[in-house]
Amino acid sequence: MQVKIIDHPLIQHKLTLIRDIKTGPKEFRELLEEVAMLMAYELTRNLPLEETEIETPVAKCCCKVLSGKKLGVVPILRAGLGMVNGVLRLIPAAKVGHVGVYRDPETLKPVEYYCKLPTDVAEREFIVIDPMLATGGSSAATIDMLKRKGAKHIKLMCLVAAPEGVHYINEQHPDVEVYTAAVDDHLNDHGYIVPGLGDAGDRIFGTK
Ligand code: PRP
Ligand code: URA
């Protein structure tokens, strides 16, 4: 199983609070945003740098700035929206694309309903974000859409993954690195991650 587990203590602590059934939508949203920011820090650890000359109030100096490809962030609607602001706090220049995919509750297959991406897809490095990677169908369909539009460099960032979902992405998209804060035990008969955190979209938006 090819997956990078981001096990920073702050992320693990906040994830426990997020999982807790007693955590209501306001706190859930705040924690999810904070964890997304911390995860984005890890995900961007290897971004290339280049030197530039600037002048401080004291002297001229050569300092480092980001170079290389521009970034794109693609939340999977709805629940991925809960992670966007956290990522943008670290990478404010990233463009945000939106992909609408929901999981048919009977078949558990992804149903695509929306796609709006930056125009320069081929020149960007993308981070697809969704808190939940269960069967992997929604994320795989989103990555398919991005690739069809010309994206070549894609990472997937989720909060909680099931082993089934990680295997599915590894198989369908071996070029895509999967980052998560946890790989849980299994999927139940309804395709929910166990122990998981329930329905992420409902917990963010207070629906159901
Ligand atoms: C949830 C979640 C993922 C998907 C994961 O979305 O946010 O997108 O399920 O399941 P999968 O890996 O088996 O595809 P959902 O379909 O509930 O839609 P929502 O975000 O609109 O609530
Ligand atoms: N989608 C969710 O929101 N939670 C799960 O456990 C599985 C899919």
Side-chain angles (χ1 to χ4, degrees):
M1 184 160 57
Q2 295 296 313
V3 61
K4 296 195 170 130
I5 298 174
I6 305 181
D7 59 358
H8 190 289
L10 285 175
I11 293 176
Q12 295 302 316
H13 178 85
K14 289 173 193 289
L15 173 57
T16 300
L17 299 174
I18 288 174
R19 287 183 191 272
D20 194 326
I21 193 170
K22 296 195 291 300
T23 299
K26 177 177 182 285
E27 202 186 348
F28 190 98
R29 284 193 294 270
E30 289 168 359
L31 287 162
L32 182 59
E33 189 175 318
E34 287 168 15
V35 169
M37 187 179 73
L38 294 169
M39 290 185 74
Y41 177 77
E42 288 292 331
L43 232 88
T44 51
R45 181 171 284 285
N46 294 321
L47 285 181
L49 292 168
E50 64 187 15
E51 301 238 315
T52 187
E53 192 176 288
I54 59 154
E55 202 173 338
T56 75
V58 181
K60 284 189 174 162
C61 66
C62 262
C63 296
K64 295 184 194 328
V65 289
L66 291 171
S67 69
K69 288 198 184 309
K70 295 176 282 184
L71 292 173
V73 184
V74 179
I76 304 179
L77 305 178
R78 292 177 295 168
L81 291 175
M83 301 173 87
V84 176
N85 286 342
V87 176
L88 288 181
R89 275 163 72 185
L90 281 193
I91 321 167
K95 291 265 167 69
V96 182
H98 292 86
V99 166
V101 179
Y102 73 88
R103 199 171 70 150
D104 182 297
E106 302 298 324
T107 64
L108 302 184
K109 297 284 178 233
V111 182
E112 300 167 16
Y113 62 90
Y114 188 73
C115 181
K116 177 77 182 173
L117 300 174
T119 45
D120 52 353
V121 170
E123 279 92 64
R124 287 189 183 265
E125 216 165 284
F126 283 94
I127 306 175
V128 172
I129 52 177
D130 190 323
M132 309 308 280
L133 180 66
T135 64
S138 304
S139 293
T142 301
I143 294 165
D144 277 336
M145 270 193 249
L146 276 167
K147 286 184 174 175
R148 283 201 302 272
K149 303 262 184 187
K152 293 183 185 64
H153 304 276
I154 303 170
K155 291 181 171 137
L156 173 62
M157 175 172 127
C158 56
L159 181 66
V160 179
E164 293 90 332
V166 177
H167 284 305
Y168 190 64
I169 298 296
N170 289 167
E171 182 193 293
Q172 297 291 312
H173 297 289
D175 56 309
V176 172
E177 288 178 348
V178 182
Y179 293 78
T180 186
V183 178
D184 276 9
D185 200 54
H186 66 282
L187 291 179
N188 69 15
D189 292 345
H190 304 289
Y192 276 83
I193 301 174
V194 182
L197 51 77
D199 187 303
D202 285 345
R203 293 196 64 188
I204 293 168
F205 296 109
T207 45
K208 181 68 88 30

